[in-house]
Amino acid sequence: MTATRHYLLAAGGTGGHMLPAYALAGELIARGHRVALVSDDRGLRIPGAPAELETHVLPAGRVHGGPVGWVKAALAIRKGRAMAIDLIRDFDPAVVVGFGGYPSLPSLLAARATKTPSVIHEQNAVLGRTNRLMAGRVDAIAVAYHHIRRFPPACADKRHLIGNPVREEIIAIREDGYPPLLEDGIVRLLVVGGSLGATVLSDVVPAAVAMLPRALLDRLQVVQQCREADIETVRAKYAALGVAAECAPYITDFPERLRWAHLVIARAGASTVAELACAGRPAVFVPYPHAMDDHQTYNVGDLVAAGGAISIQQSDFNPAALAKHIQRMALEPGALEEAADRAASCGLPDATRDLADLVESFAAPPMMDVIRVGASTQRAASGVAAARREAN
């Protein structure tokens, strides 16, 4: 049986950082460990945290805004590091795990200062700024893709291919397989554009659908996530075409919609790419052109190379190009099924378990628990003695 440990996780304030952290936290808690997570106010508002997860907000500082902004960020990071050192001394984690983003930096710096083992996880196919800064200072680097840009060659021996943790509901889709697609049956299209939708998808996808032959339109069903401002326009376009379509600003039952879909059109965030690969769903990706280091373009590299998806840069994403691809995939016998198999071949459904195994491997052996508890007791006793001396 694994000895109970404490683990401290630190993640930036976006879903891309927080959701893998939540997944690892849930796995470690299920294994009997105690887990705390550090982020900023924005990150801790993201839903999905395990009920038993302890949370903390520490100053981090975002490095931007010229010399004045840099100084402010440095002061915030310094303050956050000092607070993280106090947290580590109090919580006594066996390992500190960073998931990228500036809010993870103070905890990773504190881990180094306190000689606590540390691991970082990179969700994207380009090593992020915080993870690049800390790569040489941590014990292990978990990555989600075979090819990672901006990865320091000197850190190659720390690299572990893990993947991105995904929800159990997504893994269940993989186990159920691809939905049957009859030659004259319904073709189901799912359109998602990140957490809030994307206007470019609202503009291009209905226009592309309008260019499909009538026989295919009569077989098409669409579920599309749209920005609030775009919903009524998109609904009207599909209604005018006679296409059964459901539009919403947020898809609350995403796993069920993904299970339902034959083809997905989406942005290329790390979580989306991982979920489509694990579920085994063919996709058309439209990478967000303003993503840091253009990481969304590189996130889809493995899936595209395997034949499980195509990627269209936003500047080239137009109704004619999309209509041509939808028509070919929907009408060519076996095309969607084959692409689904190829997408599934890129999935890493054991990422959560493998990441937890990696993190646990850097915890001290059970014998060290006695030493650590003894040292903690001695520190506490010394503190009591000092307080008594001061009182006298």
Side-chain angles (χ1 to χ4, degrees):
M1 180 177 177
T2 303
T4 297
R5 297 280 192 273
H6 293 181
Y7 292 93
L8 180 63
L9 314 186
T14 68
H17 298 304
M18 295 296 291
L19 295 180
Y22 287 163
L24 176 62
E27 177 69 16
L28 291 173
I29 289 168
R31 296 184 184 194
H33 301 303
R34 182 179 168 192
V35 184
L37 183 142
V38 172
S39 187
D40 57 14
D41 289 320
R42 181 181 55 156
L44 296 183
R45 288 196 298 268
I46 293 173
E52 304 89 342
L53 181 64
E54 303 172 32
T55 58
H56 303 268
V57 174
L58 296 182
R62 184 174 176 83
V63 183
H64 67 115
V68 174
W70 301 339
V71 171
K72 289 182 178 178
L75 292 174
I77 291 169
R78 181 179 179 182
K79 181 179 179 181
R81 174 182 176 276
M83 294 174 67
I85 288 174
D86 289 341
L87 176 59
I88 287 174
R89 288 174 175 163
D90 178 61
F91 188 65
D92 194 22
V95 183
V96 174
V97 187
F99 287 85
Y102 290 111
S104 71
L105 183 56
S107 298
L108 291 169
L109 292 172
R112 183 169 175 81
T114 57
K115 295 182 171 55
T116 304
S118 57
V119 175
I120 56 177
H121 178 269
E122 177 57 57
Q123 300 85 48
N124 292 298
V126 181
L127 201 65
R129 289 182 178 180
T130 298
N131 284 347
R132 288 202 299 269
L133 177 64
M134 295 305 301
R137 300 173 171 85
V138 299
D139 296 286
I141 305 169
V143 299
Y145 300 94
H146 290 89
H147 307 290
I148 305 293
R149 296 174 68 86
R150 309 196 73 169
F151 191 97
C155 298
D157 60 335
K158 300 180 182 181
R159 177 172 168 160
H160 301 264
L161 178 61
I162 296 293
N164 275 317
V166 300
R167 293 169 279 183
E168 289 296 327
E169 300 95 319
I170 302 296
I171 296 172
I173 297 173
R174 179 187 186 88
E175 295 168 353
D176 290 344
Y178 191 71
L181 179 60
L182 302 178
E183 186 175 342
D184 57 351
I186 297 298
V187 178
R188 303 193 289 254
L189 180 65
L190 175 63
V191 186
V192 289
S195 60
L196 296 174
T199 294
V200 66
L201 300 184
S202 296
D203 291 340
V204 174
V205 177
V209 169
M211 301 175 72
L212 299 176
R214 185 72 248 175
L216 181 53
L217 283 181
D218 291 341
R219 297 171 52 202
L220 195 65
Q221 291 182 357
V222 180
V223 170
Q224 181 159 348
Q225 179 196 18
C226 310
R227 293 184 185 276
E228 288 276 11
D230 300 329
I231 285 181
E232 293 307 322
T233 300
V234 174
R235 282 177 179 156
K237 289 178 179 178
Y238 285 127
L241 294 169
V243 172
E246 181 180 338
C247 302
Y250 187 77
I251 298 176
T252 56
D253 56 346
F254 180 75
E256 283 307 309
R257 298 299 190 174
L258 187 57
R259 182 190 303 276
W260 167 90
H262 290 116
L263 177 65
V264 181
I265 301 173
R267 287 296 198 191
S271 294
T272 299
V273 174
E275 290 183 336
L276 266 59
C278 280
R281 291 298 183 268
V284 177
F285 288 112
V286 186
Y288 180 58
H290 307 297
M292 184 72 68
D293 298 318
D294 196 25
H295 63 254
Q296 288 202 4
T297 294
Y298 300 106
N299 285 351
V300 301
D302 289 351
L303 266 173
V304 171
I310 68 165
S311 178
I312 304 176
Q313 291 299 310
Q314 185 163 308
S315 57
D316 299 323
F317 186 60
N318 59 69
L322 180 59
K324 181 179 179 180
H325 182 71
I326 293 174
Q327 184 171 344
R328 182 182 69 82
M329 295 296 287
L331 299 181
E332 182 178 314
L336 283 169
E337 292 89 343
E338 181 178 356
D341 287 342
R342 291 175 179 269
S345 73
C346 297
L348 295 171
D350 298 325
T352 304
R353 183 198 68 191
D354 292 345
L355 182 58
D357 288 347
L358 176 66
V359 169
E360 281 187 332
S361 74
F362 285 93
M367 182 58 68
M368 293 300 295
D369 289 349
V370 178
I371 299 172
R372 187 172 66 250
V373 171
S376 299
T377 303
Q378 186 175 12
R379 286 198 301 271
S382 298
V384 171
R388 286 174 177 169
R389 286 196 299 272
E390 185 175 340
N392 294 330

